Amino acid sequence: MNYEETIAFLYSQLPMYSRIGKAAYKSDLTNTIKLCELLHHPEHSFKSIHIAGTNGKGSVSHMLAAILQQNGYKTGLYTSPHLKDFRERIRINGEMITHNAVIDFVNNHKEAVTGIGCSFFEWTVGLAFDYFRREKVDIAVIETGLGGRLDSTNVITPLLSIITNVSYDHTDLLGETLQKIAFEKAGIIKQSVPVVIGERLPETDSIFIEMASFMNANLSFAGDHWEVKDSTYQSKLLSLLIENKLAEKWQVNLDLAGEYQEKNILTVLEAIQVLRRQGFILKKENCIAALHAVKLLTGLQGRWEILSDDPIIIADVAHNEAGIKHSINQLNHISYAKLHIVLGFVQEKDLQKILQLFPNNATYYFCCPDIPRGLDVQLLHERAIELGLNGSVYSSVTKALEAAKMNAFDEDLIYVGGSTFVVAEVV
C-alpha cells in the first residue's frame, strides 16, 4: 500500500472515536496491552511525560515539547486529534512522522494487529511508541486521547504525570459528575511518579490528593506555586508576567494568544521545576524562547489562531462548556464593529449549556463538520433559534465561512469554532 491507501485502511478498517464516537471507545486496556506485547513493549523504551485533562492538555503538551527540544533534547510528541494530516499526531522535534514510517508499520503489522481487533486509536498509539523507540528519543510528551484510566496511552510509566483540569466533556463515557470525570483523569497517576495538577476545584481536589497519597506520588497544584501578575493580549501574542512563591519572575511572550493559556502556562512552569529536580537541564532563557515560538517549534494549530486581519478571523478549537466560556470571554475584550460566528459541533454535546454561552448580538453561520459524528446542522439551527441566536444554515464549513467573509466589513470580527473538526476545515 502507498501512503494514501495506508491511511484509507486505517480510517475504514479500524474504529476511530473522533469520527464515529462512542462505538469506537474501548472500556479496557486489553487490546493495547496485547499490541504492546506484539511490538515487544516499546512503551518501556523511552522516558515520557503523560498529560490528561478536559481542556488545555494539547497546549500544555506542545509547550513542554517546545521547551524540551529548545533545551537540546530529542523530543517525541504524541497528540490527538489531528487537524489536516494524520502525521500531526506523531512528531519528533516538531517534524511529523514520515510517510514511509507509517506505511512500513501498517504493512508489517497489519495482519497481527487486525487479529487483535485494535481500534484506530490503539493502532496509532502502537505506531507512535514504536517510532519513538526506533528513533531513540530522549523523552516523549504523551497526551491522552480520552479520560486517562482506560486511555490507550495509559500503559507508560512516565517521569511526570500532569492533569490540566477537570470540566464537563464526554460525560456519556467518563461520567456525569466532576468527581467521576476526575477519577478517570486520576487514573494516570502512577506509583511514586510526581504529578502536577493545573487547576484546583473544590469538587475534585480530594480525588487527586487521595490518589496521589495511595500511589505515594508527590503532588503539586500549579496555582499554589505560580501566579500571573500581569497579562496583556496583543493580537498574536499573550504577554505574561508570572511570579512564583520565591518571588522569581518570568516575563513570557507566548505565541498561543488565547487568554485561557494563562492557566496552562502555570502548569507548564510547575512541570519545568519537577523535571529540573529529576535532572533535566532546562535553562530559563531557552524556556522563554520556546514559549515565544511554540507553533513554529511544534506545528501546533487551531488555538486562538488569527487567520486574517481585515476583517479579523479567529479560529479556536474550544469545544466544551469550560473552553468555550473562556473563548467568548476573550471575544468580549476585543474591539470590533460586528461579530460573525461560524459554528458547528459534533454529537453528544450538551447544546443547552453550550449555546447559552454565545452572545445574542452576533450573526451566526451554522454548519456541520464533515465527519460522521457531525451534529446535524438543522438540529443545531433549531436549538440556537430557541435561545435567540439568529443566523442561517450552510451545507459546509467552507461555505459558512465564505458567507461570513462576504457579509463582514474590515472592522468586523469572524469567530470560527464549536469543534476541533470545524476548525480543521479552515486552518
Side-chain angles (χ1 to χ4, degrees), residues 141-177:
V141 180
I142 309 295
E143 178 195 8
T144 61
L146 181 62
R149 182 174 65 95
L150 301 175
D151 187 75
S152 295
T153 63
N154 201 30
V155 292
I156 58 175
T157 302
L159 299 175
L160 168 64
S161 302
I162 298 173
I163 301 171
T164 57
N165 56 39
V166 176
S167 184
Y168 292 104
D169 201 10
H170 304 299
T171 54
D172 56 328
L173 299 174
L174 303 181
E176 296 185 353
T177 67

Side-chain angles (χ1 to χ4, degrees), residues 9 14 72 74 85 106 114 117-118 125 130-131 136 171 233 237 326 350 360 408:
F9 168 78
L14 304 168
K74 187 175 184 179
D85 187 331
V106 174
T114 301
C118 287
V125 165
D130 184 71
Y131 187 62
K136 296 180 172 59
T171 54
Y233 171 60
L237 285 175
H326 282 301
D350 189 335
N360 290 337

Side-chain angles (χ1 to χ4, degrees), residues 1 5-6 8-10 12-14 35 38-39 102-118 123:
M1 295 187 292
E5 291 167 340
T6 301
F9 168 78
L10 288 174
S12 64
Q13 298 298 315
L14 304 168
L35 177 59
L38 172 72
L39 300 173
V102 178
I103 295 167
D104 291 345
F105 183 84
V106 174
N107 283 337
N108 291 338
H109 302 290
K110 181 179 177 182
E111 184 175 342
V113 177
T114 301
I116 294 172
C118 287
W123 184 291

Side-chain angles (χ1 to χ4, degrees), residues 16 25 51 56 111 130 186 230 254 276 338 346 385 391 414:
M16 181 180 180
Y25 183 66
I51 304 177
E111 184 175 342
D130 184 71
D230 188 53
L254 184 64
R276 282 173 168 172
K338 187 175 180 181
V346 294
I385 291 296
I414 300 172

